[in-house]
Amino acid sequence: MSEPEEELQEERRDNPKKTKKKKKKKKKEEEEKKKKQDHEEFSSGSTENHTGECLVLRGIFKLGKKSHDVLLTRTRLTWTPIVPETPTDRTLTKITGVILLQDVFAVKVKRRRAAGQQSGGPVLGVTLFYGRRRGRRLEEDTLHLHNASAEHTHTWYNTLKELLTGFSRRPRYVKVFINPSSHKKEAVYIYREHVAPLFKLADVRTDITVTERKGHALSVMKECRLDEYDGVVCVGGDGSVAELCHALVLRAQLDADSPVKPVKPALPLGIIPAGSTDVVSCSVHGVRDPVTAALHIVLGHRQQVDMCSFSSLGQLVCFGFSAMFGFGGRSLARAEKKRWMPSSRRREYALVKTLARLRPEDCQLSFLPAKKPNRDLFGHRISIMSIPCLSPHTPRGLAPNTSVANGSAALIAVGNTSRSEFIKHLKRYSGSSGQFSFSFVETHCVSAVRIRPRSLTGWAEEESEEEEGDPRTTPIIQAEGQAFPWNIDGELVEIANEVVVRVHPRLITLYGEEVDEAESTVSCSCI
């Protein structure tokens, strides 16, 4: 890559009155340069650092206003202040700073330039860009290593660039899908303001598609040449993520000529959260933060994740991570009928309305490994989740007893109970524990589940009463009234017959890392 693309600039404005000061400054810089050269000669005899690693480079840079002895190995960069600031004095203090190269995603040459100057200018040193951990978040940070020697600076710059190319899991070219309609319609802004600058710094090239409708990403993924890319990035909510995960697996099956057996996609998926709950993103990042998500991508952090297939009567419905039948499906169906409302208000309306009309489901439930024979269930909610489903609303997740890659899913069956007890159960999801301590709640670790509904339990009747005369909505359940509402990864799916859910261990790779709890920033006062 050409040098101008790898430079930072520090602007200055020339002032004739400062000519004498400049001459003094230049003389001082020449003296500093001579001192640094002397120190480099003194340092050249050392080949190992304090950890026993072989040194790649060693030299003097200024960090702030103080000179430091800087050591570079193949895995880390450390710096120690020189006390006193006399290079011939070998009295050095303990190491005061360290950066692991696995956290560095870019390095640039820094120059001083006058206002409007586009190229050239005296070298000021090298700047490293890295990800700093702050709790569950990753934040962009910089380290400026000041040295006026162009030769010395370029030696360090070229060596650092070469070392960073050794991280082969980092993407160089990614396919980006942005859902402009996601949640508050902020996805384009989030990508432009928080993600694109980091991709540019890290020299990650992008091919961007702004989706125009549901299923657009799926159609593009079926046709594009995936071998050109190192990864795929989704900017949107859980629905967009589910569509792209489904598309990646389907494309892998198509390329492998395996129409029945799921095939692991070759490309990892990065998720930039821009939805209302973002449970998949939270489950691999621990926080809803686009900068954290983007840094996981540019640093090449990868996590193998289990997925589920959902089928009915032998036909694949979709691939996904979680599903809710009963209360979760019905509340989503009601929310979808109020798309004109703001998302938070729509969600709370649907929750309260479904609680007010709470009725148990009648179905037959069976699962593997089978601890009990096939049996009838008369209750309010069945949930199947292959990931913890962390979110700011549920910091420990809807399924805290599972993980993203343990090869199984959590089955949660809530039996028939009073409305007040069911509300207590729901409220405990926003706390630290206790949601499964009720006698009417069962949890199982499963690899497959079959749910066979027996009746609609008055769903069509209550919906027709509720929505009669409302010109702004279209009924989710049509006149025939034979479909059951399912909530699959936050998307409403209507299925008329039994559903079989199978867990496929480590079927997809996501950029991120496994976390056991999400950052809690949202509270709900609707129940």
Side-chain angles (χ1 to χ4, degrees), residues 278-308:
D278 299 303
V279 298
V280 183
S281 175
C282 285
S283 294
V284 291
H285 302 149
V287 64
R288 287 172 65 196
D289 177 49
V291 171
T292 296
L295 287 173
H296 277 302
I297 294 170
V298 300
L299 291 170
H301 298 163
R302 299 186 185 184
Q303 172 66 51
Q304 307 297 311
V305 179
D306 301 337
M307 286 192 75
C308 294

Side-chain angles (χ1 to χ4, degrees), residues 76-191:
R76 68 189 66 212
L77 183 142
T78 59
W79 58 93
T80 307
I82 300 171
V83 182
E85 288 199 7
T86 305
T88 54
D89 191 327
R90 302 195 179 198
T91 304
L92 300 178
T93 60
K94 294 181 179 180
I95 288 177
T96 58
V98 58
I99 293 178
L100 299 180
L101 292 191
Q102 67 184 26
D103 297 330
V104 178
F105 62 89
V107 57
K108 309 290 179 183
V109 173
K110 188 176 183 181
R111 295 178 180 273
R112 176 179 287 115
R113 290 175 180 162
Q117 184 178 354
Q118 299 298 318
S119 62
V123 168
L124 295 177
V126 177
T127 298
L128 283 75
F129 297 83
Y130 64 99
R132 176 188 291 275
R133 292 189 179 272
R134 193 176 299 275
R136 298 178 186 89
R137 294 176 179 262
L138 287 177
E139 298 178 352
E140 177 195 351
D141 210 339
T142 56
L143 176 68
H144 300 288
L145 301 176
H146 296 280
N147 190 303
S149 167
E151 181 180 359
H152 186 63
T153 294
H154 284 292
T155 296
W156 277 75
Y157 165 75
N158 291 329
T159 303
L160 283 164
K161 287 287 287 184
E162 182 181 356
L163 290 175
L164 292 184
T165 60
F167 295 99
S168 58
R169 292 162 67 89
R170 297 182 179 183
R172 301 264 64 88
Y173 187 30
V174 295
K175 177 65 182 175
V176 180
F177 291 91
I178 303 176
N179 179 2
S181 302
S182 181
H183 191 37
K184 297 180 179 179
K185 301 183 178 181
E186 296 177 341
V188 173
Y189 171 82
I190 288 172
Y191 178 80

Side-chain angles (χ1 to χ4, degrees), residues 38-56:
D38 292 341
H39 184 74
E40 287 165 18
E41 291 175 2
F42 143 71
S43 302
S44 61
S46 177
T47 60
E48 292 186 352
N49 70 351
H50 73 289
T51 65
E53 294 180 284
C54 289
L55 289 180
V56 176

Side-chain angles (χ1 to χ4, degrees), residues 316-371:
L316 176 70
V317 175
C318 64
F319 290 98
F321 299 97
S322 65
M324 296 182 187
F325 173 75
F327 180 82
R330 294 193 178 199
S331 59
L332 178 61
R334 282 195 172 89
E336 289 297 305
K337 297 172 82 69
K338 302 290 184 181
R339 296 296 296 182
W340 52 272
M341 286 184 177
S343 59
S344 58
R345 183 184 170 194
R346 181 172 68 242
R347 186 170 54 246
E348 292 191 1
Y349 161 83
L351 183 63
V352 171
K353 199 74 171 179
T354 307
L355 283 171
R357 296 174 176 265
L358 188 65
R359 298 180 182 179
E361 307 291 338
D362 186 9
C363 64
Q364 186 181 72
L365 175 67
S366 57
F367 52 89
L368 294 174
K371 297 182 179 179

Side-chain angles (χ1 to χ4, degrees), residues 20 73 76 83 153 161 172 177 183 211 223 243 249 256 281 323 330 342 367 377 379 389 419 460 468 477 486 514:
K20 291 184 180 180
T73 72
R76 68 189 66 212
V83 182
T153 294
K161 287 287 287 184
R172 301 264 64 88
F177 291 91
H183 191 37
T211 59
E223 303 297 332
E243 181 178 336
V249 178
S281 175
R330 294 193 178 199
F367 52 89
L377 178 69
C389 293
R419 182 181 292 106
E468 185 178 358
I477 306 300
W486 282 75
E514 185 170 1

Side-chain angles (χ1 to χ4, degrees), residues 396 400 424-425 427-438:
R396 293 193 67 247
K424 287 180 183 178
H425 163 69
K427 281 187 171 182
R428 291 194 184 179
Y429 278 103
S430 61
S432 59
S433 62
Q435 62 266 46
F436 305 133
S437 61
F438 298 92

Side-chain angles (χ1 to χ4, degrees), residues 390-440:
L390 308 179
S391 78
H393 303 277
T394 56
R396 293 193 67 247
L398 294 174
N401 296 331
T402 193
S403 64
V404 297
N406 64 352
S408 64
L411 169 63
I412 304 168
V414 179
N416 191 22
T417 188
S418 65
R419 182 181 292 106
S420 61
E421 287 297 294
F422 186 65
I423 291 175
K424 287 180 183 178
H425 163 69
L426 292 180
K427 281 187 171 182
R428 291 194 184 179
Y429 278 103
S430 61
S432 59
S433 62
Q435 62 266 46
F436 305 133
S437 61
F438 298 92
S439 60
F440 54 86

